[in-house]
Structure formats: C-alpha cells, structure tokens
Amino acid sequence: MSSHHPDESMLHAWMDGELVPESAAAVAQWLAEHPDEAARMAALQAQNAGLQALHAQVLDEPVPLQLQRALRRAPVQWRWPHALAAGLMLSVGLGLGYGAANMGHQRAALAQAGAAGGSVQTVKSMQLPMFVREAAAAHAVYVPEQRHPVEVAAQQQAHLVQWLSKRLGVQLKPPVLETQGFHLMGGRLLPGETGQARAQFMYEDAAGQRLTLYVSVLSKQGASAAPVAFQWASDGATQGFYWIDGQQGYALSAAMPRERLQVLAEAIYHQLS
C-alpha cells in the first residue's frame, strides 16, 4: 500500500474507520510517509467532527407539529422533485436553526468559564470550539507516528519557533516541561478549518507517553478580553484541557488521567502567561 497512492475513496474510508485492519494499517503507513496528505486528512477529520457535533441532536428532535399536520394534509401523489426539494428545505432549515443555537451554547459556555475564576469545567463535544476539535484530530494522527511524529525536531528549536511564529503571526514560546517529566520532541505547522496556520508542539516522557499542545490564533469573534478558565474536553481516547488567552487558543491533548494532565496544563498556562 505504501508504494502507491491510495485513492480518495480509500482515504475517506480510512478516515471514517470503514477499512479492514490490514487496509487501515497500510493507509496509515502511507500517510506516515506523506505528511502533507496526513495534514490534509487531519484537517478533514476536524471538519467532519465539527459537522457531526453541529447536527448531533437534530435526528433526536421531534418533528414540529406544523410539519406533521402538513404531511397529513399532503396529497399522496407527490412528484419526486417536489419531495426532494421539500426534504432539502427541511434539512437546511433544521441545520441553520440548530447551528445558531449551538453557537449560542458555545458563547454561554465560554462566558461561564470566564466567570468561574480559574475553575475547571467540562464541555460537551458539541460545544467545543473548532480549534479544539482540530487539535484532537491532529493529536490522533501524529501521536502514534514513529518515523515522523514532528516536522521540525527540538534540536532545531530556534528555527522551529521562528518559523511557526512567523506563520501564525504571533511570538510563540514552547513551554518547558522537564520538571514534569516531558521533553520537547519538536513541532509542526498545520492548517486550520478556514485556512489559517496552526502550530502543534509534541512532548514525550521517559515511558514514551506523548502529549501535544495545539496553538491557534483566533478571530476577533473568538478571542477573549481576559483569560478563559480551563475547560475539560473528552472525546474517546483523546482528552485534554483548553483555554483562550486574548487572541490565542490553546489545547493540550493526551491519553492520561485527568489529574495528571491538569498539572501539566497549569504548568503550561503559567509559563505562557
């Protein structure tokens, strides 16, 4: 598999977890050898996660009474173009309505975190900001990688920091976590959901356990005038803390107990503040 390019259908099947283990492993190996394609798949996974979260509850909602009455009154001899158009209008209307409600939930969650005075709060996946979902997808793609876990190694840290700072448009500073038992492996440049540059720093401890810090520069709408308290996010094996400080969003991801990860998140927050 690694000798030839898997087609788009196979890449998307891999991304959706629909391949048999042998084929999935072959595609993963090919992606490990092609970091640009791996980054593209990570961005698509983040985008899919956002869309799934956006519409997660729509199918569970009851059909509005007005629509039930309209369906009961509708003639049986519907032509298929009219049925298709009605179905599209219904799905778009539900999607837009739920999307607006979901954005309200996000703003409320962030406002509540800011008023919490540093307390940790748990946020459901459907309420997570996009950069947090991007961070989880990038973490899942690159943490298992053995040959190319980072794009620029820590031995070239000065170059790494200068390069990523220039691409993100802010001065970055990788936190030092030696006291907590983790050393910097390096980092990489990643694409965000709307094309903005993102940065990922990867760390590893003596036992080989890895964690990633994802840095995003937010738009004015997503930025916060004051640091937002830690938020806890858990989505399967990947979990972590995220927070927003001014125009920068940070997401720390790892597969470890919450208490240990919180110690690391607090150490990073104090260094970056």
Side-chain angles (χ1 to χ4, degrees):
M1 176 63 67
S2 60
S3 61
H4 66 276
H5 192 310
D7 59 24
E8 280 296 303
S9 63
M10 181 166 285
L11 286 173
H12 283 269
W14 173 85
M15 188 174 63
D16 295 334
E18 297 175 351
L19 296 180
V20 297
E22 294 79 6
S23 298
V27 172
Q29 178 61 34
W30 186 87
L31 287 172
E33 297 168 1
H34 298 78
D36 290 344
E37 284 295 300
R40 185 170 72 89
M41 288 296 102
L44 286 174
Q45 284 179 314
Q47 192 174 58
N48 286 345
L51 290 172
Q52 290 170 4
L54 185 64
H55 300 286
Q57 295 182 341
V58 171
L59 292 178
D60 295 329
E61 294 178 353
V63 176
L65 184 60
Q66 296 89 334
L67 288 177
Q68 294 182 34
R69 291 170 177 168
L71 289 172
R72 284 197 294 267
R73 292 196 302 267
V76 177
Q77 299 85 2
W78 268 32
R79 301 290 183 182
W80 74 264
H82 297 88
L84 177 61
L88 286 173
M89 290 176 66
L90 174 61
S91 62
V92 170
L94 288 174
L96 289 176
Y98 185 75
N102 187 55
M103 288 301 293
H105 291 325
Q106 275 195 22
R107 287 193 293 268
L110 291 177
Q112 184 180 12
S119 62
V120 177
Q121 300 190 16
T122 302
V123 179
K124 297 179 180 179
S125 60
M126 68 178 181
Q127 296 174 331
L128 292 174
M130 179 57 70
F131 80 89
V132 182
R133 296 194 287 266
E134 294 170 354
H139 178 89
V141 169
Y142 293 113
V143 159
E145 175 57 39
Q146 296 301 314
R147 294 181 61 184
H148 305 288
V150 297
E151 194 170 1
V152 179
Q155 289 79 357
Q156 298 178 283
Q157 183 171 337
H159 163 65
L160 173 67
V161 173
Q162 182 181 19
W163 172 52
L164 293 179
S165 298
K166 181 178 180 180
R167 292 303 305 271
L168 269 69
V170 295
Q171 184 58 47
L172 300 178
K173 182 179 69 172
V176 177
L177 300 176
E178 300 289 342
T179 303
Q180 289 76 26
F182 283 86
H183 67 273
L184 178 68
M185 298 178 67
R188 66 172 64 244
L189 181 71
L190 291 171
E193 184 263 343
T194 54
Q196 301 108 324
R198 311 294 200 212
Q200 183 193 62
F201 295 104
M202 187 179 295
Y203 296 79
E204 188 176 53
D205 67 6
Q209 185 167 30
R210 294 175 176 176
L211 59 85
T212 57
L213 177 66
Y214 189 86
V215 185
S216 169
V217 178
L218 307 176
S219 65
K220 291 182 179 179
Q221 290 81 4
S224 173
V228 173
F230 287 131
Q231 308 268 11
W232 168 255
S234 180
D235 184 12
T238 302
Q239 52 198 10
F241 288 93
Y242 73 91
W243 63 97
I244 300 173
D245 194 348
Q247 256 190 293
Q248 291 173 235
Y250 301 93
L252 182 66
S253 305
M256 66 176 63
R258 174 171 174 164
E259 294 75 16
R260 187 184 182 200
L261 194 57
Q262 183 172 351
V263 171
L264 291 161
E266 290 174 351
I268 292 171
Y269 175 81
H270 290 307
Q271 288 188 43
L272 296 178
S273 301

